[in-house]
Amino acid sequence: MKPSEDAPIACGLLISDVLHEAGLPAGVLNVVTNDRADAAEVVSALIADERVRMVIFTGSTEVGRAIGVQTAQHLKPAVLELGGKNALLVLEDADVDCAVDAAVFGSFMNAGPICMCVDRVIVHRAVAEQFTAGFAARVRALPCGDPADPGTAVGPVVNAGAAQRVAALVTDAVAREARLAAGTGQVEEPGTLIRPVVLTGVTKEMRIYYDEIFGPATVIHVVDSVDKAVTLANDTPYGLTAGVITENLATGLEVARRLRTGIVHINDQSIADEPQAPFGGVKSSGYGRFGGQAGAEAFTDTRWITAQTSGHAHYPI
């Protein structure tokens, strides 16, 4: 396991300690930490090592592409779980209160840096005004600040660079006439805190339309039909997960079939991960699955073994 340089304890060393205390034999899990400057060299060495039979990577699409190339060169299977531009579709018949609850949680859990978080809420015009007002009000009231305070709902992002990147996406959108329904997009002390942002009026010319946000901001798009909602949801290079809020299960299933994502949750937001379920995306969100039977197959090789139980096989020559 090579954890992120931004969080080597939580994403590697702590997991190793927990598994060791649970009885995992020494040497089964090996954690490799490194300086960021050495990351590419370390990754290349790990992939090339003959003891490594397959590679699982969770991270950015940019790095995932590089890892995919290297694993292919060594003919080693890879599972790549990469970025997302996940949409929550709020249809005309949606329970608006339910949709608001789902959107708040899906957009701002963990301050937004989750590959499954809601980057876009695509809402039918018939309920758009009610939804936007309720959603923005809830978001403005979210307690922000110290993650050690049990009352905090949205804490800081992982480092100053991550905060500045999200702030730049919001600043670019506002400069191009997007409107702030909640938040300012400004970085606050200690240099890693951004209060939750909701943007409306976002267009394709703005970076935030296509770029993964991976932080405490989301966008509301208003559409006039289910067809337009599906088209907009699919207008992204990513395809990880999505949610559909509707009172009609048949409609939800029909919409789910048309979305180009690896995961769809009907009457729920986009964040959900269970160990028995296959997890993964399509397009620039990566390939392969972990979890459930698909995960078992990803981590194993199917073999064919035969045995003659009596006599001898007969051969033509």
Side-chain angles (χ1 to χ4, degrees):
M1 174 183 289
K2 195 199 84 64
S4 166
E5 296 86 6
D6 291 324
I9 295 176
C11 295
L13 298 173
L14 176 62
I15 294 172
S16 176
D17 288 345
V18 169
L19 291 173
H20 179 72
E21 291 175 10
L24 190 72
V28 173
L29 174 64
N30 299 279
V31 179
V32 178
T33 60
N34 57 274
D35 184 273
R36 185 180 300 278
D38 300 325
E41 184 178 357
V42 170
V43 168
S44 295
L46 288 172
I47 293 174
D49 194 297
E50 63 180 15
R51 294 167 294 181
V52 174
R53 300 181 187 179
M54 70 169 303
V55 175
I56 304 289
F57 173 72
T58 299
S60 71
T61 297
E62 179 183 5
V63 175
R65 285 195 177 99
I67 289 175
V69 169
Q70 293 187 52
T71 54
Q73 289 174 336
H74 293 279
L75 294 178
K76 293 183 179 180
V79 174
L80 304 179
E81 197 279 287
L82 311 177
K85 190 70 179 173
N86 313 302
L88 177 65
L89 284 65
V90 181
L91 305 189
E92 184 176 10
D93 66 343
D95 180 324
V96 175
D97 291 337
C98 171
V100 168
D101 288 345
V104 171
F105 178 83
S107 300
F108 301 110
M109 181 188 177
N110 197 47
I114 301 177
C115 58
M116 297 175 284
C117 266
V118 173
D119 264 28
R120 304 172 291 158
V121 183
I122 302 173
V123 57
H124 194 283
R125 192 174 302 278
V127 294
E129 184 176 353
Q130 180 185 358
F131 172 85
T132 301
F135 181 50
R138 281 281 308 282
V139 171
R140 288 193 293 267
L142 288 173
C144 304
D146 184 358
D149 182 346
T152 297
V154 178
V157 294
V158 68
N159 56 35
Q164 292 294 340
R165 188 188 62 80
V166 175
L169 289 175
V170 176
T171 298
D172 172 76
V174 171
R176 297 173 186 269
E177 301 186 351
R179 297 175 293 280
L180 286 163
T184 66
Q186 301 301 307
V187 180
E188 301 180 14
E189 292 298 330
T192 54
L193 178 66
I194 298 179
R195 295 184 182 276
V197 172
V198 178
L199 286 165
T200 63
V202 168
T203 61
K204 292 185 177 183
E205 293 73 28
M206 304 171 189
R207 288 172 51 204
I208 204 167
Y209 183 93
Y210 284 114
D211 286 9
E212 181 181 22
I213 300 172
F214 213 65
T218 195
V219 169
I220 296 176
H221 295 288
V222 179
V223 295
D224 296 308
S225 68
V226 170
D227 287 345
K228 290 182 178 179
V230 171
T231 298
L232 180 54
N234 288 334
D235 185 21
T236 170
Y238 298 103
L240 183 55
T241 185
V244 182
I245 308 296
T246 175
E247 291 293 280
N248 188 317
L249 180 58
T251 299
L253 288 168
E254 190 271 335
V255 169
R257 292 187 185 101
R258 297 169 62 190
L259 294 173
R260 290 200 62 203
T261 60
I263 305 164
V264 182
H265 302 294
I266 299 171
N267 287 326
D268 201 355
Q269 39 71 49
S270 56
I271 301 172
D273 182 10
E274 299 185 8
Q276 75 275 16
F279 184 94
V282 297
K283 300 193 289 185
S284 291
S285 290
Y287 51 75
R289 298 291 184 269
F290 51 85
Q293 182 62 31
E297 292 173 356
F299 280 88
T300 57
D301 292 318
T302 300
R303 301 175 65 200
W304 183 35
I305 299 174
T306 71
Q308 294 288 339
T309 59
S310 62
H312 297 283
H314 296 283
Y315 309 108
I317 58 172

